[in-house]
Amino acid sequence: VIYPEDAERVINDIEYSAKHLTYFTCEFRVQIPGKPIQWIYSRSSPEKLADGSVTWYGFNADITERKRAENAIQESRERVAALADASTEAIFFSEKGVCVDQNLMAKKMFGYSKKEAVGKMGTDWIIPEHRDLVMQNILLGFEGPYEVDALRKDGSTFHAEIRAGMSQYMGRDVRTTALRDITKRKQAEQERAALEVQLRQSQKLEAIGTMVGGISHEFNNVLQSMFLYGGLVQDTLPENEELRLNFQHILDDGNRARDLIKQILTFSRMAKIDMRPRPLHEMVIEVLVLERASLPANIDIQQDIDMNCGLVLCDKTQIHQIIMNLCNNAQHAMADHGGTLTVSLKPTRASLDYSDLETDALELKVSDTGHGIDTADLERIFDPFFTTKQFGEGTGLGLSVIHGIVEMMEGQILVTSNVGEGSTFRILLPLTAEVEKNELVESVGQTALVGRSILLVDDDDAIRDVTQFVLIHEGNFVDSAADGAQALGLFMANPEKYDLIVTDQSMPKMSGVELTKAIRRTNTEIPIILSTGQLGIENNEEFRNIGISGFIQKPWTANELIERIQEL
């Protein structure tokens, strides 16, 4: 629809923009069938794509009225004034740099009456820092558009777009300058840029979550095999205290890797959680008892715990994780010279939704007298994988996990720190009025695990072989299957043969859940243990309702499996 006489010029401007990746700005006419000719002002920014092509983001504005005004300026002052006053842009007419007239929008936009405006320098409407740019463009004959910050009579500023050119006014040549308030457009551009940053960050986090889901199963299998074979080797080691101690370090590192997987799963929101009203002070004291035993002698613990605090809706494991992470960070900060670790818990009133409305809350504070955190690091302290620790001493996930847990609980986490004086982490959590239901704890007698017939299902050959060896070593009869379909075939061939089924969840052909559903359709009540790397799955009613008798969290040791079987 571009007017034929303008088409070649528009195409040339587009090709130049694509070649040099510069802004495309152009004014041209369009002829839409059945409508009069319109003038369009087009401005866009090019972006080169991965395939080498170029796309533009920008806008088109109908400037037909402005064009008509510009043409009319050449004819008569009266017509120029009328059209200028009808414009939505501030228009100034100047001669030798001095204003000789303005339109109504200029008065509205800048606050100067016509009497005040006449005689002022044309650059007086621009902030001092941008006046050199305006003068340079005038000298170069550049008519725009370009952007400056404009200056109102009251001293306030706004973003403006300038276009200028020579025209006839009352029979003489004058410079006509049009300014458009583009504050809203600039704000929209900034918001778009901010949204793009958020989108990229969201995509990164989504990629992390996808990655965790993909590798956690395999990683847990590696650790699973390490625990089982490691346990067998340790049992066969000679009575050499140093040798056993060295081998135990290997298994301890495996446990550290298991904890890291749990942290990543929690961070990526793939872990199931058990949110219940719980007394926070009991969980704080439980962790502090463990911390006292592990802290070096040059670090002193001081605690101020209100024993009458109310309940918070939380997951017990996550609360332990929060406190232990903060205490471990404090210990690291005081590792060189020792110091004091202070933990306090008390009720308070706080605005948890960043409004003026305060609600009942609990304040958990963990403070240390360590080396502190500098201002630059404070801004990034909750970012995933950011750490100030040396390589091998930290993953950079601890505080990001804590931040995610606290936000999920609709709380707040705040940090203050001074270099050389220490740091204080302050966590605010909302109180809940719900009363925790008493949990029925059944006493389970431990029975000897001997003479059972067990069907073992796992797609990992190494795990399946070593688990079968362990269970047979305990005096049981064990058949094994590499997937759910094979296991179902074994079971259906002789349902009365087996006392128990232990199955992995993630397997080809048929998962552990699908195997359980198929077996339950035969109306058998045989106990089924589901082995899975998914955290908190035992609290998922959906899994319990399909007939799973118990769960065991990967990676597990031989003793943990035997104990779980004994419980059932």
Coordinates of all heavy atoms in Angstrom, one line a residue, residues 274-334:
D274 N 5.4 -31.2 52.9 CA 4.4 -31.6 53.9 C 4.1 -30.3 54.8 O 4.8 -30.1 55.8 CB 4.8 -32.8 54.8 CG 3.7 -33.2 55.8 OD1 2.6 -32.8 55.6 OD2 4.1 -33.8 56.8
M275 N 3.2 -29.5 54.3 CA 2.9 -28.2 55.0 C 1.9 -28.5 56.1 O 0.8 -28.9 55.8 CB 2.5 -27.2 54.1 CG 3.5 -26.8 53.0 SD 4.9 -26.0 53.6 CE 4.2 -24.3 53.9
R276 N 2.3 -28.2 57.4 CA 1.4 -28.4 58.5 C 1.7 -27.3 59.5 O 2.8 -26.8 59.6 CB 1.5 -29.8 59.2 CG 1.3 -31.0 58.3 CD 1.5 -32.2 59.1 NE 1.5 -33.4 58.2 CZ 1.6 -34.7 58.7 NH1 1.6 -34.9 60.0 NH2 1.6 -35.7 57.8
P277 N 0.7 -27.0 60.4 CA 1.0 -26.0 61.5 C 1.9 -26.7 62.5 O 1.6 -27.8 63.0 CB -0.4 -25.8 62.1 CG -1.4 -26.2 61.0 CD -0.7 -27.3 60.3
R278 N 3.0 -26.1 62.8 CA 4.0 -26.7 63.7 C 4.6 -25.6 64.6 O 4.7 -24.4 64.2 CB 5.2 -27.3 62.9 CG 4.7 -28.4 61.9 CD 5.9 -28.9 61.1 NE 5.5 -29.6 59.9 CZ 5.3 -30.9 59.9 NH1 5.4 -31.6 61.0 NH2 5.0 -31.6 58.8
P279 N 5.0 -26.0 65.8 CA 5.7 -25.1 66.7 C 7.1 -24.8 66.3 O 8.0 -25.8 66.3 CB 5.6 -25.8 68.1 CG 5.5 -27.2 67.7 CD 4.8 -27.3 66.4
L280 N 7.5 -23.6 65.9 CA 8.8 -23.3 65.3 C 9.9 -23.5 66.3 O 11.0 -23.9 66.0 CB 8.8 -21.9 64.7 CG 10.0 -21.5 63.8 CD1 10.1 -22.5 62.7 CD2 9.8 -20.1 63.4
H281 N 9.6 -23.1 67.6 CA 10.7 -23.2 68.6 C 11.2 -24.6 68.8 O 12.4 -24.8 69.0 CB 10.2 -22.6 69.9 CG 9.2 -23.4 70.6 ND1 7.8 -23.3 70.3 CD2 9.3 -24.4 71.6 CE1 7.1 -24.2 71.1 NE2 8.0 -24.8 71.8
E282 N 10.4 -25.6 68.6 CA 10.9 -27.0 68.8 C 11.9 -27.4 67.7 O 12.9 -28.0 68.0 CB 9.7 -28.0 68.8 CG 8.7 -27.8 70.0 CD 7.6 -28.8 70.0 OE1 7.6 -29.6 69.0 OE2 6.8 -28.8 70.9
M283 N 11.6 -26.9 66.5 CA 12.5 -27.3 65.4 C 13.8 -26.5 65.5 O 14.9 -27.0 65.2 CB 11.8 -27.0 64.1 CG 10.6 -27.9 63.8 SD 9.7 -27.5 62.3 CE 8.6 -26.2 62.9
V284 N 13.7 -25.2 66.0 CA 14.9 -24.5 66.1 C 15.8 -25.1 67.2 O 17.1 -25.3 67.0 CB 14.6 -23.0 66.6 CG1 15.9 -22.2 66.9 CG2 13.8 -22.3 65.5
I285 N 15.3 -25.5 68.3 CA 16.0 -26.2 69.4 C 16.6 -27.5 68.9 O 17.8 -27.8 69.2 CB 15.2 -26.4 70.6 CG1 14.8 -25.0 71.2 CG2 15.9 -27.3 71.6 CD1 13.8 -25.1 72.3
E286 N 15.9 -28.3 68.1 CA 16.4 -29.5 67.5 C 17.7 -29.3 66.7 O 18.7 -30.0 66.9 CB 15.4 -30.2 66.7 CG 14.2 -30.8 67.4 CD 13.1 -31.3 66.5 OE1 13.3 -31.2 65.2 OE2 12.1 -31.9 67.0
V287 N 17.7 -28.3 65.9 CA 18.9 -28.0 65.1 C 20.0 -27.5 65.9 O 21.2 -27.9 65.7 CB 18.5 -27.0 64.0 CG1 19.8 -26.6 63.2 CG2 17.5 -27.5 63.0
L288 N 19.7 -26.6 66.9 CA 20.8 -26.0 67.7 C 21.5 -27.1 68.5 O 22.7 -27.0 68.8 CB 20.2 -25.0 68.6 CG 19.8 -23.7 67.9 CD1 19.3 -22.7 69.0 CD2 20.9 -23.1 67.1
V289 N 20.8 -28.2 68.9 CA 21.4 -29.3 69.7 C 22.5 -29.9 68.8 O 23.6 -30.2 69.2 CB 20.3 -30.3 70.1 CG1 21.0 -31.6 70.6 CG2 19.5 -29.7 71.2
L290 N 22.1 -30.1 67.5 CA 23.1 -30.7 66.5 C 24.2 -29.8 66.3 O 25.4 -30.2 66.2 CB 22.3 -31.1 65.2 CG 21.2 -32.1 65.3 CD1 20.5 -32.3 64.0 CD2 21.8 -33.5 65.8
E291 N 23.9 -28.5 66.1 CA 25.0 -27.5 65.8 C 26.0 -27.4 67.0 O 27.2 -27.2 66.7 CB 24.3 -26.1 65.5 CG 23.6 -26.0 64.2 CD 24.5 -26.2 63.0 OE1 25.6 -25.8 63.1 OE2 24.0 -26.8 62.0
R292 N 25.5 -27.5 68.2 CA 26.5 -27.4 69.3 C 27.5 -28.5 69.3 O 28.7 -28.3 69.6 CB 25.7 -27.5 70.7 CG 24.9 -26.2 71.0 CD 24.3 -26.4 72.4 NE 23.4 -25.2 72.7 CZ 23.9 -24.1 73.1 NH1 25.2 -23.9 73.4 NH2 23.1 -23.1 73.4
A293 N 27.1 -29.7 68.8 CA 28.0 -30.8 68.8 C 29.0 -30.7 67.6 O 30.1 -31.3 67.7 CB 27.2 -32.1 68.6
S294 N 28.7 -29.9 66.6 CA 29.5 -29.8 65.4 C 30.4 -28.6 65.3 O 31.3 -28.5 64.5 CB 28.7 -30.0 64.1 OG 27.7 -28.9 64.1
L295 N 30.0 -27.5 66.1 CA 30.8 -26.3 66.0 C 32.1 -26.4 66.6 O 32.3 -27.1 67.7 CB 30.0 -25.1 66.6 CG 28.8 -24.6 65.9 CD1 28.1 -23.5 66.7 CD2 29.2 -24.0 64.5
P296 N 33.1 -25.7 66.1 CA 34.5 -25.7 66.7 C 34.4 -25.0 68.1 O 33.5 -24.2 68.3 CB 35.3 -25.0 65.7 CG 34.4 -24.2 64.9 CD 33.1 -25.0 64.8
A297 N 35.4 -25.2 68.9 CA 35.5 -24.7 70.2 C 35.5 -23.2 70.3 O 35.1 -22.6 71.3 CB 36.6 -25.3 71.0
N298 N 36.1 -22.6 69.2 CA 36.2 -21.1 69.3 C 35.0 -20.4 68.8 O 35.0 -19.1 68.7 CB 37.4 -20.7 68.4 CG 37.2 -21.0 66.9 OD1 36.3 -21.8 66.6 ND2 38.1 -20.4 66.1
I299 N 33.9 -21.1 68.6 CA 32.6 -20.4 68.3 C 31.6 -20.7 69.4 O 31.3 -21.9 69.7 CB 32.1 -20.9 66.9 CG1 33.0 -20.5 65.8 CG2 30.7 -20.4 66.7 CD1 32.6 -20.9 64.4
D300 N 31.0 -19.7 70.0 CA 30.1 -19.8 71.1 C 28.7 -19.6 70.5 O 28.4 -18.7 69.7 CB 30.4 -18.8 72.1 CG 29.4 -18.9 73.3 OD1 29.1 -20.0 73.7 OD2 28.9 -17.8 73.7
I301 N 27.7 -20.4 71.0 CA 26.3 -20.3 70.6 C 25.5 -19.6 71.7 O 25.6 -20.0 72.9 CB 25.6 -21.6 70.3 CG1 26.2 -22.2 69.0 CG2 24.1 -21.4 70.1 CD1 25.5 -23.5 68.6
Q302 N 24.8 -18.5 71.4 CA 23.9 -17.9 72.3 C 22.5 -18.0 71.7 O 22.3 -17.7 70.5 CB 24.3 -16.5 72.6 CG 25.6 -16.3 73.3 CD 25.9 -14.8 73.6 OE1 25.1 -14.0 73.3 NE2 27.1 -14.6 74.2
Q303 N 21.5 -18.4 72.5 CA 20.2 -18.5 72.0 C 19.2 -17.8 72.9 O 19.3 -17.7 74.1 CB 19.8 -20.0 71.9 CG 19.7 -20.7 73.2 CD 19.3 -22.2 73.0 OE1 20.0 -22.9 72.3 NE2 18.3 -22.6 73.7
D304 N 18.2 -17.2 72.3 CA 17.1 -16.5 73.0 C 15.8 -17.0 72.3 O 15.3 -16.3 71.4 CB 17.3 -15.0 72.9 CG 16.2 -14.2 73.6 OD1 15.5 -14.8 74.4 OD2 16.1 -13.0 73.4
I305 N 15.3 -18.1 72.8 CA 14.1 -18.7 72.1 C 12.9 -18.5 73.0 O 12.9 -18.9 74.2 CB 14.3 -20.2 71.9 CG1 15.7 -20.4 71.2 CG2 13.2 -20.8 71.1 CD1 15.8 -19.8 69.8
D306 N 11.8 -17.9 72.5 CA 10.6 -17.8 73.2 C 9.8 -19.1 73.1 O 9.5 -19.6 72.0 CB 9.7 -16.7 72.5 CG 8.5 -16.3 73.3 OD1 7.9 -17.3 73.9 OD2 8.1 -15.2 73.4
M307 N 9.6 -19.8 74.2 CA 9.0 -21.1 74.2 C 7.5 -21.1 74.1 O 6.9 -22.2 74.0 CB 9.4 -21.9 75.5 CG 10.9 -21.9 75.8 SD 11.8 -22.7 74.4 CE 11.4 -24.4 74.7
N308 N 6.9 -19.9 74.0 CA 5.5 -19.8 73.9 C 5.1 -19.3 72.5 O 4.0 -18.7 72.4 CB 4.9 -18.9 75.0 CG 5.2 -19.5 76.4 OD1 4.9 -20.7 76.6 ND2 5.7 -18.7 77.3
C309 N 5.9 -19.4 71.5 CA 5.6 -19.0 70.2 C 4.4 -19.8 69.6 O 4.3 -21.0 70.0 CB 6.8 -19.1 69.3 SG 8.1 -17.8 69.6
G310 N 3.7 -19.2 68.8 CA 2.6 -19.9 68.1 C 3.1 -20.8 67.0 O 4.2 -21.2 66.9
L311 N 2.1 -21.2 66.2 CA 2.4 -22.2 65.1 C 2.6 -21.5 63.8 O 2.0 -20.4 63.5 CB 1.2 -23.2 65.0 CG 0.8 -23.9 66.2 CD1 -0.4 -24.8 65.9 CD2 2.0 -24.8 66.8
V312 N 3.4 -22.1 62.9 CA 3.6 -21.6 61.6 C 3.3 -22.8 60.6 O 3.6 -23.9 60.9 CB 5.0 -21.0 61.3 CG1 5.2 -19.8 62.1 CG2 6.1 -22.1 61.6
L313 N 2.7 -22.4 59.5 CA 2.5 -23.5 58.5 C 3.8 -23.7 57.7 O 4.2 -22.9 57.0 CB 1.4 -23.0 57.5 CG 0.8 -24.0 56.6 CD1 0.1 -25.1 57.3 CD2 -0.2 -23.3 55.6
C314 N 4.3 -24.9 57.9 CA 5.7 -25.1 57.4 C 5.9 -26.6 57.1 O 5.1 -27.5 57.6 CB 6.7 -24.6 58.3 SG 6.8 -25.4 59.9
D315 N 7.0 -26.9 56.4 CA 7.5 -28.3 56.3 C 8.7 -28.4 57.2 O 9.6 -27.6 57.2 CB 7.9 -28.5 54.8 CG 8.5 -29.9 54.6 OD1 7.8 -30.8 54.5 OD2 9.8 -29.9 54.6
K316 N 8.7 -29.4 58.0 CA 9.7 -29.6 59.1 C 11.1 -29.7 58.4 O 12.1 -29.1 58.9 CB 9.4 -30.8 59.9 CG 10.3 -31.0 61.1 CD 9.9 -32.2 62.0 CE 10.8 -32.3 63.2 NZ 10.4 -33.4 64.1
T317 N 11.2 -30.5 57.4 CA 12.5 -30.6 56.7 C 13.1 -29.3 56.2 O 14.3 -29.0 56.3 CB 12.4 -31.7 55.6 OG1 12.0 -32.9 56.1 CG2 13.8 -31.8 54.9
Q318 N 12.2 -28.5 55.6 CA 12.6 -27.2 55.1 C 13.0 -26.3 56.2 O 14.0 -25.5 56.0 CB 11.5 -26.6 54.3 CG 11.2 -27.3 53.0 CD 10.2 -26.7 52.1 OE1 9.4 -25.9 52.6 NE2 10.2 -26.9 50.8
I319 N 12.3 -26.3 57.4 CA 12.7 -25.4 58.5 C 14.1 -25.8 59.0 O 15.0 -25.0 59.2 CB 11.7 -25.5 59.6 CG1 10.4 -24.9 59.2 CG2 12.2 -24.8 60.9 CD1 10.4 -23.4 58.8
H320 N 14.3 -27.1 59.1 CA 15.7 -27.6 59.5 C 16.7 -27.1 58.5 O 17.8 -26.7 58.8 CB 15.7 -29.1 59.5 CG 15.0 -29.7 60.8 ND1 14.9 -31.0 61.0 CD2 14.5 -29.1 61.9 CE1 14.3 -31.2 62.2 NE2 14.0 -30.1 62.7
Q321 N 16.4 -27.2 57.2 CA 17.3 -26.8 56.2 C 17.6 -25.3 56.3 O 18.8 -24.9 56.1 CB 16.7 -27.1 54.8 CG 17.6 -26.9 53.6 CD 16.9 -27.3 52.3 OE1 15.8 -27.7 52.3 NE2 17.7 -27.4 51.3
I322 N 16.6 -24.5 56.5 CA 16.9 -23.0 56.7 C 17.8 -22.8 57.8 O 18.8 -22.1 57.6 CB 15.5 -22.3 56.9 CG1 14.7 -22.3 55.7 CG2 15.8 -20.9 57.4 CD1 13.3 -21.7 55.9
I323 N 17.6 -23.3 59.0 CA 18.4 -23.0 60.2 C 19.8 -23.6 60.0 O 20.8 -22.9 60.3 CB 17.7 -23.6 61.5 CG1 16.3 -23.0 61.6 CG2 18.5 -23.2 62.7 CD1 15.4 -23.7 62.6
M324 N 19.9 -24.8 59.5 CA 21.2 -25.4 59.4 C 22.1 -24.6 58.4 O 23.3 -24.4 58.6 CB 21.1 -26.9 59.0 CG 20.5 -27.8 60.1 SD 20.4 -29.5 59.6 CE 22.2 -29.9 59.6
N325 N 21.4 -24.2 57.2 CA 22.2 -23.5 56.2 C 22.7 -22.1 56.8 O 23.9 -21.7 56.6 CB 21.3 -23.2 55.0 CG 21.5 -24.2 53.9 OD1 22.6 -24.4 53.5 ND2 20.4 -24.8 53.4
L326 N 21.8 -21.4 57.5 CA 22.2 -20.1 58.1 C 23.3 -20.3 59.2 O 24.3 -19.6 59.2 CB 21.0 -19.4 58.7 CG 20.0 -19.0 57.7 CD1 18.8 -18.3 58.4 CD2 20.6 -18.0 56.7
C327 N 23.2 -21.4 60.0 CA 24.2 -21.6 61.0 C 25.5 -22.0 60.4 O 26.6 -21.6 60.8 CB 23.7 -22.7 62.0 SG 22.4 -22.2 63.1
N328 N 25.5 -22.8 59.3 CA 26.7 -23.3 58.6 C 27.4 -22.1 57.9 O 28.6 -22.0 57.9 CB 26.4 -24.4 57.6 CG 26.0 -25.7 58.3 OD1 26.3 -25.9 59.4 ND2 25.3 -26.5 57.5
N329 N 26.6 -21.2 57.4 CA 27.2 -20.0 56.8 C 27.8 -19.1 57.8 O 28.9 -18.5 57.6 CB 26.1 -19.2 56.0 CG 25.7 -19.8 54.7 OD1 26.4 -20.7 54.2 ND2 24.6 -19.3 54.2
A330 N 27.2 -19.0 59.0 CA 27.8 -18.2 60.1 C 29.1 -18.9 60.6 O 30.1 -18.2 60.8 CB 26.8 -18.1 61.2
Q331 N 29.1 -20.2 60.7 CA 30.3 -20.9 61.1 C 31.5 -20.6 60.1 O 32.6 -20.4 60.5 CB 30.1 -22.4 61.1 CG 31.3 -23.2 61.5 CD 31.0 -24.7 61.4 OE1 29.9 -25.1 61.5 NE2 32.1 -25.5 61.4
H332 N 31.1 -20.6 58.8 CA 32.1 -20.4 57.8 C 32.7 -18.9 57.9 O 33.9 -18.7 57.7 CB 31.6 -20.6 56.4 CG 32.5 -20.4 55.3 ND1 32.7 -19.2 54.7 CD2 33.4 -21.3 54.6 CE1 33.7 -19.3 53.7 NE2 34.1 -20.6 53.7
A333 N 31.8 -18.0 58.2 CA 32.2 -16.6 58.3 C 33.1 -16.4 59.5 O 33.9 -15.4 59.5 CB 31.0 -15.7 58.4
M334 N 33.0 -17.2 60.5 CA 33.9 -17.1 61.7 C 35.0 -18.1 61.8 O 35.5 -18.3 62.9 CB 32.9 -17.2 63.0 CG 31.9 -16.1 63.0 SD 30.9 -16.1 64.5 CE 29.9 -17.6 64.3

